Amino acid sequence: MERKWRKIWGLIGLLLLNFVNNVSSLSLTITKVECVYKIVRSEGDIVSGNFVVVDHHIFWSSDHPGIDFSIISPGGDILHNLKGTSGDKFSFKAPRSGLYQFCFHNPLSTPETIALYIHIGHIPNEHNLAKNEHVDPINVKIAELREALEAVTTEQKYLKARDAVHRRTNESTKKRVIGYTVGEYILLTIASVLQVVYIRRLFSKSVGYNRI
Amino acid sequence: MNKGMVFGGRAACFLPIILVLCLTRNSNILPVAEAIWLTIPSSGTKCVSEEIQSNVVVLGDYYVIDENNPDHIPTISARVTSPFGNNLHHNENATHGQFAFTTSESGNYLACFWKDGSHQKDSELTLGVDWKTGIAAKDWESVAKKEKIEGVELVLRRLQGIVETICGNLIYLRDREADMREVSEATNARVAWFSIMSLGVCIAVSVLQIWYLKRYFVKKKLI
């Protein structure tokens, strides 16, 4: 009898596991507007995540307007609105269950790549009267522990993406330093050779006139 | 003892409902809520990518979501490529598909989807993509069966897996930071060295100019 209950609890524990893993990380390329949708199963779930603009072109204009980001709830309200960012973290408690939209808008025409990571954390309520089930308190504690670990993982994904951006900037700087310096030397030499040639020409033609 | 039996009894009541919900999670009857939904434009491809290290298990699952006409679901084609351009998965004219592979090189893995030519309507398609890497892709049910652990022990084993992944990520970040510090310091030294050298080149070139011109004028008997 005791074994039977242990088996049932084991099975419930196993099955409950399925509901707490809810992560998605990927990179998208945005040309104009790009929306990513995610279903939040139950109200009160904590949605957390971050995004980093990876391909933020390090070109001549340092006044790049950035990317606009907004989160739209299933009811149509805008939960989060950011204009002109190159990366940010977000975290909110879902007011209702349903389909949430994470939208990016690129004001310029050059496509940008964005690394996005979204995590939906669900902690089962100990006394969920609406569903009339009873959850073992240890499962609640384990879910909380798991959410804390997932928060660390979320932060790490953000750091990884930022590190990738920083690395690109660094390598671009290195290439620019070498390229522009060598170009500068060559231009300098060419300019001075041209100067000498020009002066030669000046004096060779009109020697007759300048002879004292 | 009594409380245990009462709660066990109630749980046994809800067991079949929980079972049905969990088993249908993986079929196409109920869409999987962990996946991310994307819209595939009517023309052009939609690509998602991720930067993955080597020796990581990747599990992918994609399916078309179309509530408008359930009997005539539009089909898509998919392709997954490795950073070196090898084709890891290719599927045409399908409404759903799965792929699994272990990465052999680290880099950017790309999964591209596009609408099939047969359904050339001007409507956009919603595609659900479930992309799992590393610890999220591990099959815990088989581990539970093989090692005969269940319940709390299995959950704790899973948490231990997550902690190990976190440690691995930290080491990776630390190594990358060390690499980047080296690149920064090299660039810094280079900037200083090249600027001084450009000053030297400037002076050398102007001295050469003056010397050459002086020699030229003396030769031409102008000085």
Side-chain angles (χ1 to χ4, degrees):
Chain A
M1 197 59 165
E2 194 56 56
R3 215 182 248 172
K4 181 181 165 207
W5 297 129
R6 203 186 291 170
K7 259 202 202 143
I8 289 178
W9 278 119
L11 200 56
I12 291 180
L14 237 175
L15 299 177
L16 280 175
L17 276 183
N18 289 333
F19 289 100
V20 291
N21 183 15
N22 208 334
V23 304
S24 30
S25 90
L26 31 75
S27 305
L28 316 156
T29 311
I30 300 182
T31 18
K32 206 70 205 163
V33 178
E34 215 52 77
C35 283
V36 166
Y37 308 87
K38 207 143 162 72
I39 294 182
V40 174
R41 280 185 200 229
S42 49
E43 169 192 334
D45 280 355
I46 309 244
V47 180
S48 60
N50 50 66
F51 70 96
V52 175
V53 181
V54 170
D55 221 19
H56 199 106
H57 283 287
I58 325 148
F59 280 150
W60 308 101
S61 61
S62 57
D63 54 339
H64 190 280
I67 299 281
D68 305 332
F69 172 67
S70 58
I71 304 180
I72 302 171
S73 78
D77 326 304
I78 298 180
L79 292 170
H80 206 74
N81 203 356
L82 281 166
K83 291 219 177 288
T85 55
S86 62
D88 204 12
K89 299 194 270 194
F90 55 86
S91 171
F92 62 92
K93 192 161 180 172
R96 45 176 280 200
S97 63
L99 193 70
Y100 282 76
Q101 298 181 36
F102 300 84
C103 287
F104 296 95
H105 167 63
N106 185 7
L108 298 182
S109 53
T110 48
E112 302 280 357
T113 309
I114 294 193
L116 176 68
Y117 181 77
I118 302 172
H119 171 66
I120 300 181
H122 175 78
I123 298 179
N125 269 334
E126 215 179 275
H127 296 286
N128 202 343
L129 296 167
K131 291 201 186 140
N132 208 18
E133 15 173 285
H134 194 101
V135 180
D136 196 2
I138 197 173
N139 280 341
V140 177
K141 282 294 170 207
I142 288 178
E144 281 173 13
L145 179 61
R146 193 188 166 128
E147 285 313 305
L149 287 177
E150 291 288 351
V152 179
T153 309
T154 308
E155 192 69 36
Q156 280 189 331
K157 293 273 187 202
Y158 185 54
L159 285 175
K160 257 195 198 175
R162 295 248 298 207
D163 171 273
V165 176
H166 192 194
R167 202 194 179 95
R168 287 169 85 116
T169 310
N170 254 4
E171 297 199 337
S172 158
T173 307
K174 188 176 88 167
K175 282 197 200 119
R176 275 182 182 181
V177 160
I178 295 178
Y180 290 175
T181 320
V182 169
E184 183 193 337
Y185 293 169
I186 292 174
L187 269 174
L188 205 61
T189 342
I190 289 176
S192 51
V193 164
L194 280 175
Q195 273 181 327
V196 170
V197 164
Y198 181 68
I199 290 175
R200 268 180 74 139
R201 268 184 55 189
L202 265 183
F203 282 96
S204 64
K205 267 196 200 142
S206 49
V207 151
Y209 295 96
N210 280 348
R211 198 79 187 268
I212 301 169
Chain B
M1 182 77 152
N2 245 347
K3 226 183 228 177
M5 307 252 277
V6 164
F7 222 128
R10 218 182 262 173
C13 252
F14 289 109
L15 205 51
I17 299 175
I18 298 176
L19 255 172
V20 164
L21 273 177
C22 289
L23 290 176
T24 52
R25 192 179 73 89
N26 282 325
S27 74
N28 282 323
I29 303 173
L30 277 179
V32 178
E34 284 102 4
I36 218 168
W37 288 9
L38 305 165
T39 47
I40 311 273
S42 44
S43 68
T45 67
K46 187 61 126 4
C47 289
V48 296
S49 62
E50 193 179 343
E51 189 98 25
I52 310 177
Q53 291 148 262
S54 64
N55 256 347
V56 170
V57 177
V58 179
L59 220 60
D61 189 6
Y62 54 91
Y63 46 88
V64 175
I65 297 159
D66 195 8
E67 302 108 8
N68 298 338
N69 35 0
D71 45 344
H72 193 59
I73 303 177
T75 57
I76 49 117
S77 303
R79 169 177 279 142
V80 179
T81 42
S82 78
F84 290 165
N86 303 334
N87 203 357
L88 295 164
H89 170 82
H90 185 60
N91 205 2
E92 303 254 357
N93 275 343
T95 53
H96 64 274
Q98 286 175 329
F99 54 87
F101 57 91
T102 310
T103 56
S104 49
E105 58 252 357
S106 72
N108 213 22
Y109 284 78
L110 192 66
C112 287
F113 306 95
W114 63 95
K115 254 183 127 161
D116 264 337
S118 51
H119 294 275
Q120 254 331 341
K121 297 182 204 137
D122 267 329
S123 60
E124 292 187 332
L125 201 73
T126 313
L127 183 77
V129 176
D130 195 6
W131 174 275
K132 296 196 189 120
T133 49
I135 197 74
K138 193 159 179 179
D139 188 8
W140 291 105
E141 281 134 19
S142 68
V143 169
K145 234 178 275 166
K146 195 173 75 160
E147 305 196 17
K148 294 188 186 43
I149 48 177
E150 54 188 24
V152 174
E153 196 184 333
L154 183 65
V155 181
L156 287 178
R157 184 72 74 87
R158 212 168 161 164
L159 290 179
Q160 185 183 18
I162 293 178
V163 170
E164 279 168 7
T165 314
I166 288 175
C167 273
N169 279 342
L170 270 178
I171 292 173
Y172 171 76
L173 282 172
R174 192 185 62 186
D175 289 341
R176 292 274 286 200
E177 192 264 339
D179 271 348
M180 207 128 59
R181 197 163 29 94
E182 278 172 24
V183 171
S184 280
E185 288 180 354
T187 309
N188 186 18
R190 277 204 188 133
V191 163
W193 174 235
F194 283 177
S195 302
I196 293 176
M197 231 170 79
S198 96
L199 209 68
V201 164
C202 217
I203 292 173
V205 157
S206 51
V207 162
L208 271 172
Q209 266 187 327
I210 290 175
W211 173 79
Y212 178 76
L213 283 173
K214 196 164 170 184
R215 218 189 61 171
Y216 177 72
F217 289 153
V218 164
K219 202 168 71 171
K220 291 278 178 180
K221 298 199 176 47
L222 289 168
I223 297 180

